[in-house]
Amino acid sequence: MLKAVIVGAGARGNRVFAELMATQATGFETVGVVEPDAGRRTLFQSRYDIPHERAFPTLEAFLEAPRFADVVFICTPDVTHYAHARAVSGKGYTILLEKPIATNLPDCLALLDVEATNHNRIFVAHVLRYSPFFRTVRDIIRSGRLGRVQHIHLTENVAHWHYAHSYVRGNWNRHETSGPIVLTKSSHDLDLLHWLMGGERVEWVLSYGVLKYFRPENAPSRAAERCVECPLDDACLFSATAFYLNERDEWPFNVIAPAPDALEDRRRALEQGSYGRCVWHHDNDVCDEQTVLLEFEGGTHAVFGLHAHTADNTRRLRVLFDHAELEGDLREQRLTISHFTGRKNERRLETVPLPTADDRWGHGGGDLALLRTLHDHLTVGGQDALVTSLRSSLTSHVLAFLAEDSRLNGNVRIPVPDIFPPESLELPDAPTLVY
């Protein structure tokens, strides 16, 4: 059993990784936590039976303690990832780092040197690679039974409620305090596209996108600054009071107050904090609509689209081959192939069986599969193509930074440099964010 310390007892660290270790056969056990918020830290200790001497208010306090674990899971805010990973690496721990690796390219590249210098391993939680859905798609592509890939179209349907929670009111709502949404949300998707294509080199990137809807000029005429004082609250699709004031102790409702019986704490948070502000009168500035076009070395094109205005929180995929068309939905766990027949308005339909995936933690079962794969990789060894090492995950971040650069500079087509060795990569300074 590998011993793990969770750094950051928020939604991912607490209700995904630690809960999976406590309830599923992952090969990991949680033996410590680092969390500056005393309330979250106490709840985490109680929930997972963590002794007081292994619950730390700061990363510095944890790193000063004698080593008592094998792996450190870094689940802190995006802007802290580089500094935390560098510090933990210096103590020789193996690391699982939440994406993004860092919020700027120099820090992403610098972690390669940190890993090499300290002789530890840094893995990135690109969990979608591990989901049975996308693993099955990659197996089909690699088999060659449908011919070559001609085109891939991947869409990330963020869902209107999720976008309002995380990217208007939440921690990822501003470029300067977190990063562009194509990095903080969709580095998953750019990693998937590169991985599905077998790591084939991407030669060109082009992107366009905008914050189109969640802006002050789109607010209803009588909308107030806060939902608790808004005359339209009862009828508003994005009412914070209707969304958060309930008894459900689960993400995203418990983000603003950790316990299900803390309705008064939730109400105070809506009266004073970011989650109670009107979605049209906020200070968010990340895109609610963005498209990225990739051209691979072999001529295949991939289109990725991020959409806030969707009903379901899911990802949908279309892959066009020489002899067939594959289509699927991650949330529905549905994957079908339409084989070409050469005849008008006719096709031969194949339903692709998918392994059972427990999706209680999201990502199509990818989180659980990540832990099991990582455990086997660390204990047994081998070069599993699923394993998202720091080096293999870096391409997605380079593509994200280039896509944002393209978007902000007039949707220009940008060549992708060879990122290894890191010294070969030079990108222009990012322009000032303007909407």
Side-chain angles (χ1 to χ4, degrees), residues 11 14 49 110 139 171 190 204 244 273 311 313 388 390 401 423 427:
N14 181 356
D49 196 25
D139 288 345
N171 294 333
L190 298 176
W204 297 90
Y244 294 108
N313 182 20
T388 45
L390 178 62
F401 288 119
E423 290 75 18
L427 293 180

Side-chain angles (χ1 to χ4, degrees), residues 76-88:
T76 53
D78 297 349
V79 294
T80 68
H81 284 184
Y82 168 71
H84 286 175
R86 182 184 61 189
V88 172

Side-chain angles (χ1 to χ4, degrees), residues 126 129 191 194 387-396 420:
H126 274 315
R129 274 199 209 183
D191 178 73
H194 185 244
V387 174
T388 45
S389 66
L390 178 62
R391 190 177 181 92
S392 72
S393 299
L394 186 61
T395 296
S396 64
F420 299 114

Side-chain angles (χ1 to χ4, degrees), residues 10 49 70 94 105 130 148 165 169 195 242 246 256 284 297 304 314 372:
D49 196 25
D70 304 296
T94 296
L105 185 58
Y130 301 81
R148 297 167 299 169
H165 169 76
R169 293 169 167 144
W195 178 69
N246 59 60
I256 65 172
N284 55 299
E297 189 172 33
F304 166 68
T314 189
R372 289 174 171 168

